[in-house]
Amino acid sequence: MHTAFVTGADRGLGLELTRGLLERGWRVIAGRYLENWHELTELAGRHEGRAVVVPLDIGSDRSVRDAANLAGASADAIDLVIHNAAVSTSLKDLTIAGGLNYEDMIRIYNINAIGMLRVTEALLYLTDAGTMKRQCIVSSEAGSIERCSREAWYGYCMSKAALNMGAVRLHENLHADGYTFRLLHPGWMKTYMSGSKNEEAELEADVVAEAALRYFIGPGEEDHRLVMKDWAGGEWPW
């Protein structure tokens, strides 16, 4: 039985990715940030023995270390890591002329860019022992320097561009050790990244999760080169 570790599994895409893996017979260690959000707990209860929920704040060194220790206590190896946790901000529309909130930008960067590295490093002793050695990173078109068309959004766009660079660096460091990578732009989803569910978006999280899992789990040319693809399979420029 394969084992996956999913960050940001509380709701939205992370919850649906967790659900999809469990339905495929995987064992899932799911990172929970929101203690009072009960959907993940209920999902884990329906898959007792194959779902382990661990507290996880990817913006905290200590929280990530603690989650990795809990993961190691319940699994000898991890085959697949899905780096899904991320944040946006209600201050996203601030402009350089109107004044930027740098403390908020640093918070976003710490979670969206550095958080993925924290998790990767903390779990390395488990993924080294895995059979797949697959790292899956949920990015965004906001991180594409060539194609991003958002106005303002400084902190979010810069954090996703940095996330993409982190993926490139990890690919160069770990590919020779058998690691493969998947980088995903999930599209405009009905998620809670700004605090409340965005009902104006185009895509439901379960639809994106199904497409993402086919990309994340399956073999492909991406085993040998790092690319960013969207949920429909289209390749995006850096």
Side-chain angles (χ1 to χ4, degrees):
M1 182 187 303
H2 286 305
T3 299
F5 188 101
V6 182
T7 72
D10 309 84
R11 58 191 183 185
L13 182 59
L15 180 67
E16 296 304 327
L17 290 167
T18 300
R19 190 192 315 277
L21 286 166
L22 290 169
E23 290 175 351
R24 286 165 169 78
W26 281 61
R27 190 163 185 263
V28 181
I29 302 170
R32 177 178 62 194
Y33 178 70
L34 301 167
E35 293 184 2
N36 296 324
W37 199 267
H38 301 298
E39 286 185 76
L40 178 59
T41 302
E42 294 168 0
L43 176 63
R46 294 195 294 273
H47 296 273
E48 189 173 354
R50 289 195 296 111
V52 178
V53 178
V54 299
L56 177 62
D57 173 4
I58 69 167
S60 162
D61 293 352
R62 180 172 182 176
S63 177
V64 171
R65 287 195 301 267
D66 289 347
N69 289 336
L70 290 172
S74 62
D76 295 327
I78 291 175
D79 302 290
L80 175 89
V81 180
I82 299 180
H83 301 275
N84 167 72
V87 295
S88 182
T89 174
S90 60
L91 304 177
K92 58 185 176 292
D93 295 322
L94 293 179
T95 65
I96 193 73
L100 299 174
N101 187 312
Y102 292 101
E103 183 176 354
D104 190 59
M105 291 172 67
I106 291 168
R107 177 186 68 89
I108 295 170
Y109 186 90
N110 177 49
I111 295 169
N112 291 0
I114 300 175
M116 182 271 291
L117 292 179
R118 282 193 185 93
V119 173
T120 302
E121 181 180 7
L123 295 179
L124 201 61
Y125 78 106
L126 291 169
T127 55
D128 279 347
T131 57
M132 285 184 69
K133 293 183 171 63
R134 179 71 51 82
Q135 298 281 333
C136 304
I137 300 166
V138 179
S139 184
S140 170
E141 50 76 30
S144 170
I145 293 174
E146 182 175 333
R147 288 185 61 181
C148 177
S149 59
R150 303 188 188 209
E151 297 180 4
W153 288 69
Y154 284 94
Y156 186 77
C157 293
M158 292 171 69
S159 74
K160 287 296 187 177
L163 174 70
N164 292 350
M165 179 57 76
V168 172
R169 300 273 67 77
L170 286 174
H171 181 268
E172 292 187 358
N173 286 172
L174 297 176
H175 183 62
D177 296 326
Y179 281 81
T180 54
F181 290 77
R182 300 287 188 269
L183 195 60
L184 175 73
H185 159 41
W188 192 25
M189 289 187 302
K190 297 180 179 181
T191 67
Y192 296 83
M193 284 191 65
S194 295
S196 59
K197 189 173 183 180
N198 178 9
E199 295 289 358
E200 296 180 358
E202 300 172 344
L203 301 167
E204 294 288 353
D206 59 341
V207 174
V208 176
E210 186 63 27
L213 286 175
R214 290 195 296 270
Y215 176 43
F216 288 168
I217 295 172
E221 62 175 343
E222 299 84 8
D223 289 353
H224 307 290
R225 69 187 185 102
L226 183 65
V227 299
M228 182 165 69
K229 288 192 172 183
D230 60 30
W231 72 278
E235 186 170 331
W236 279 68
W238 300 111

